[in-house]
Structure formats: structure tokens, C-alpha cells
Amino acid sequence: MDEIDRMLISLLQDDATRSYAVLGKAVGLSSGAAHERVRKLRERGVIRRTTVEVDQAALGRGVTAYVLVDGESWMGDSGAALAAIPEVEEAHVIAGPASVLLKVRTGGTRDLQDVLRRVFQVEGVTGTRTIVVLDTLVDRALK
Amino acid sequence: MDEIDRMLISLLQDDATRSYAVLGKAVGLSSGAAHERVRKLRERGVIRRTTVEVDQAALGRGVTAYVLVDGESWMGDSGAALAAIPEVEEAHVIAGPASVLLKVRTGGTRDLQDVLRRVFQVEGVTGTRTIVVLDTLVDRALK
DNA sequence: AGTGAAAGGGTAGGTAA
DNA sequence: TTACCTACCCTTTCACT
């Protein structure tokens, strides 16, 4: 993990369709060498996967919300139960004023209400507090 | 935006290195037709960009935190001021128990403290509450 | 770990059905 | 929209440095 690896990752984060020829030129290496470095970064799991960023609103998910979930015991399969809710994009165990923090995307406030109902049915959940996103100022990949 | 478009997006979210030949076969179209559909999805902004998912911990950002920011007036360039902090991955204007919610990634708690200091220096900020992530149960792309 | 070249496959663009 | 064709670029591999 030297400076060149970091540059390659940054370039790919910005646009993963770049060819190895372009990448190599950008970091001062040959196409083959750039390819080999990226291959190793994938192999080591530093680069998890190549994906596309989708405009959620265009797919009918216009509402984003964070849900603070209070619970008693967070052992076992609570994670699996939350993962089973398709609208849950992220779920984090947290230190602070709740047990778990969810990031949820739905088509509207009606669907959000339905998601909250399903969260409440997960074993151990004693309460939820919901934060609705009004506007997103920043949403980017860190370098 | 029909069912085929949705399938193509889902396939690309899963692995954007798939060739158009493979994509076409998966949705029952020719390579050319699949290519044309994806091109239009990009053009319309449904697909924002192609990128790589990076293991942040492997890049020395092992601590994730959410910061609830209280403030007086959130007009003007507060967004720009927050975007200027490189550790800020997301910033949302929210309805609920604060004005703005930040997602922050740092190398350690020491750096987190430093970020909080910089957030406090943004004009209009009157207070912050920090939620540290202990474990991430779910982190995925929604279909 | 990187270079350079060769071979094969995929992509992109055009045209016709 | 599909099918076909073509030119070209890129990926991938390998021997050599």
C-alpha cells in the first residue's frame, strides 16, 4: 500500500471504467503493471467490488431516513432480522443514545411507516426514533 | 424504465465489470441492445457513475461516526463549509432532533475529536452529539 | 516489481432488416 | 429493436529485465 496504490484507488473511485492503459499513464506505470497492482488490491480485499451508483430517487425511493432503534439484547440474529427488511440499506450497532442505527430508503412516508412497523416486530426492539432526511448536502466517496 | 432496465441495474450493482454480452444474455437481449440500454440509463442519470467499493478500514479509516449537529441558521454556505472537511462522507439536512446529520470516517478517536473541533468552528453551529459505530451489520446497495 | 509485445476478446459505431 | 459486421482499443499473458 504505497502512494501509487492510493492513487489507483482514488482514480477508480472516481470512474471505474478507466482502462488500465489510462490508469498506468496517470501513475507513471505501464498498462500491465497497473493491472497487476489493481488485481492485487482486489485480491487483498482493499477493493471489495466494482459497482454502479444509482440515483435512488429515479428508482422510486425518494425518502431517506435514519432510525435509532432501542433494544434490550442485541445478540443472535437481530442483524439478520433487520437485513431481511429490503428497505434497510445500512444497520450499525452504536455507542450512544440507542442500540442500533438504520439507514432506510422508501418511496414515501407511507412506506416508511410500514418499515417502522416491521422494525418494531423484530425481537428485542423496545422503541424507535426516526430522523427524516430533507436534503443531502454531501454524499461522496472518501479518498 | 421497464423490468429489463431494472434487471440491468441490479446486475451492474452486483458487479459492474460484467460484459455487455453477459448482461444481454441474462436479460434476453443482444449485446448491442444491452449496451444501448445501459448507455441511456447513464445518459438520463439513473446510473450516476461506475465506481469501486473500498474497504475503508484497509485505508486507515477504522472509525465511523454519525454526528448530529445543532445550528441556528442553515442557509448559505454551511454545506460548503462541511464539505470542506475531508473526513465528512455524508451531510444531510434533517427533520428531527438536530439540524444536520453527518457521517464521518476517521483513523481513530483522536482524529474524530479533531473533526468535531472543526465542525464546531463552522458558522452557526451551537452543538454536536456524536454516535460512534461499534459494528456494521448491514451495508448494501438497494435493488 | 515493472516493461514490452503478442494474441485474443470485447467494445463501440454503423447499417440493414 | 435486433442482427451483423468491422475497426479499434483494451485486457491478459508471458518472457525478459
Side-chain angles (χ1 to χ4, degrees), chain B residues 53-87:
Chain B
E53 233 182 65
V54 176
D55 180 0
Q56 294 295 333
L59 265 100
R61 294 196 189 266
V63 173
T64 304
Y66 287 88
V67 182
L68 290 161
V69 183
D70 295 301
E72 294 160 347
S73 59
W74 282 102
M75 310 157 294
D77 52 344
S78 303
L82 293 172
I85 301 173
E87 288 88 350

Side-chain angles (χ1 to χ4, degrees), chain B residues 48-123:
Chain B
R48 286 228 178 82
R49 59 175 186 160
T50 304
T51 184
V52 289
E53 233 182 65
V54 176
D55 180 0
Q56 294 295 333
L59 265 100
R61 294 196 189 266
V63 173
T64 304
Y66 287 88
V67 182
L68 290 161
V69 183
D70 295 301
E72 294 160 347
S73 59
W74 282 102
M75 310 157 294
D77 52 344
S78 303
L82 293 172
I85 301 173
E87 288 88 350
V88 172
E89 190 172 349
E90 298 177 29
H92 308 280
V93 178
I94 59 176
S99 301
V100 171
L101 176 64
L102 305 179
K103 183 178 188 178
V104 172
R105 289 205 196 249
T106 63
T109 50
R110 170 89 37 182
D111 305 287
L112 177 57
Q113 195 179 6
D114 188 56
V115 170
L116 292 175
R117 199 174 299 125
R118 275 176 278 158
V119 170
F120 237 106
Q121 286 166 1
V122 174
E123 196 186 334

Side-chain angles (χ1 to χ4, degrees), chain A residues 18-26 29-31 34:
Chain A
R18 276 192 250 255
S19 70
Y20 292 112
V22 170
L23 291 175
K25 189 162 294 182
L29 288 179
S30 71
S31 154

Side-chain angles (χ1 to χ4, degrees), chain A residues 52-64:
Chain A
V52 290
E53 231 182 66
V54 176
D55 180 0
Q56 295 294 333
L59 264 96
R61 295 196 189 265
V63 174
T64 303

Side-chain angles (χ1 to χ4, degrees), chain B residues 29-30 33 37 40:
Chain B
L29 289 180
S30 71
R37 278 187 180 250
K40 282 178 183 165

